[in-house]
Amino acid sequence: METNGGPPTPEQAQSALAEAEHIQASAAALSATPWPNWFFATLTLYIAALPIAYGGVMADEDWLLPRLAWMGIMVAITALYMALLAVAAKAWREKTGVALRLDVLPKRATVPFMLGLPVVLVGSAFVFRFTGSPVWLFAASLIGAAASVGFHLAFVRLHRASA
């Protein structure tokens, strides 16, 4: 915007503010773009596997596999998940110039998800330990996978609405 050497007119100042707001909104929308599909699948599989593996670690006695094997599985899937999260974040940052962010999502969706999902995933292992019924683990696995898919779809809808 050119001001011909003098101070900007009120119209030019309003135009510059509107342009700045538009750029800020575009950056927020870009950073709210959904995870890459391969990472969404990885996250969903991790969430689905976590209650079963944690249940194996928490079992009173060996359940399907020795407890040490379950602990190894937990460590391996968590390390793999964290490594893929780093790869997804780096690739996204290189592609778009912004970091992957969850803070642009509505708090009414993210807070219950981030508080409730761990309770379901970890709580099912404790219930399994006390009842001995693996149904709790499989139910938590399905609930976690469904929550992951639902959250991803909401993420996609938010991005499309803001783009």
Side-chain angles (χ1 to χ4, degrees), residues 17-57:
L17 283 174
E19 187 175 332
E21 287 175 7
H22 176 71
I23 290 170
Q24 185 178 18
S26 295
L30 187 60
S31 64
T33 302
W35 299 102
N37 285 334
W38 65 265
F39 185 73
F40 158 64
T42 300
L43 178 61
T44 302
L45 290 173
Y46 175 72
I47 289 173
L50 191 64
I52 296 166
Y54 196 57
V57 170

Side-chain angles (χ1 to χ4, degrees), residues 144-161:
S148 177
V149 170
F151 201 74
H152 180 72
L153 293 175
F155 212 4
V156 169
R157 186 177 317 135
L158 175 70
H159 173 67
R160 286 188 183 146

Side-chain angles (χ1 to χ4, degrees), residues 86-123:
V87 169
K90 184 176 185 258
W92 182 253
R93 198 171 36 257
E94 288 173 357
K95 178 181 175 186
T96 65
V98 293
L100 288 169
R101 297 173 35 192
L102 291 177
D103 64 330
V104 295
L105 296 173
K107 300 284 185 264
R108 69 182 188 280
T110 55
V111 171
F113 182 76
M114 292 188 177
L115 294 177
L117 193 59
V119 170
V120 170
L121 299 179
V122 174

Side-chain angles (χ1 to χ4, degrees), residues 116-147:
L117 193 59
V119 170
V120 170
L121 299 179
V122 174
S124 65
F126 284 101
V127 174
F128 167 65
R129 180 180 173 98
F130 294 121
T131 65
S133 174
V135 160
W136 297 100
L137 302 175
F138 297 113
S141 182
L142 290 173
I143 290 168

